Amino acid sequence: MGTSYKLLRKALMPMALVMIDQTSQKVFIAASVFRVGTNISAPADNFRRHGLSVAVDPITGQLGGGAMIPTDGTVTWHGDSS
């Protein structure tokens, strides 16, 4: 990455996309992510302003790789434990 980013404790946001299975009518988590603000995205966790988005396993809650949009617009994933 080449640049040091400070993580902001005040800008942490777990998010989940919850849907309903049309056949069984049961609710399920379709996707989940943990958004983290940085000193560049402050005061928010805005991904477009260089906040981090970290994958979350919807079953275990374990954090996976994190992504940030660098200045050139290319998404780079970091720290994937799989």
Side-chain angles (χ1 to χ4, degrees):
M1 186 172 351
T3 304
S4 176
Y5 294 93
K6 181 180 176 186
L7 301 182
L8 301 179
R9 286 186 269 177
K10 293 182 180 179
L12 301 174
M13 177 65 64
M15 301 182 74
L17 173 62
V18 179
M19 301 179 80
I20 298 174
D21 183 301
Q22 294 299 311
T23 305
S24 68
Q25 296 298 303
K26 292 187 178 184
V27 176
F28 68 97
I29 298 174
S32 53
V33 66
F34 188 67
R35 293 175 22 173
V36 182
T38 65
N39 59 327
I40 294 176
S41 70
D45 58 5
N46 189 313
F47 186 72
R48 285 275 176 205
R49 292 190 55 182
H50 301 286
L52 294 169
S53 286
V54 180
V56 178
D57 183 302
I59 305 299
T60 66
Q62 182 173 356
L63 297 177
M68 175 188 288
I69 296 180
T71 54
D72 69 0
T74 304
V75 175
T76 303
W77 287 90
H78 300 278
D80 192 355
S81 60
S82 58

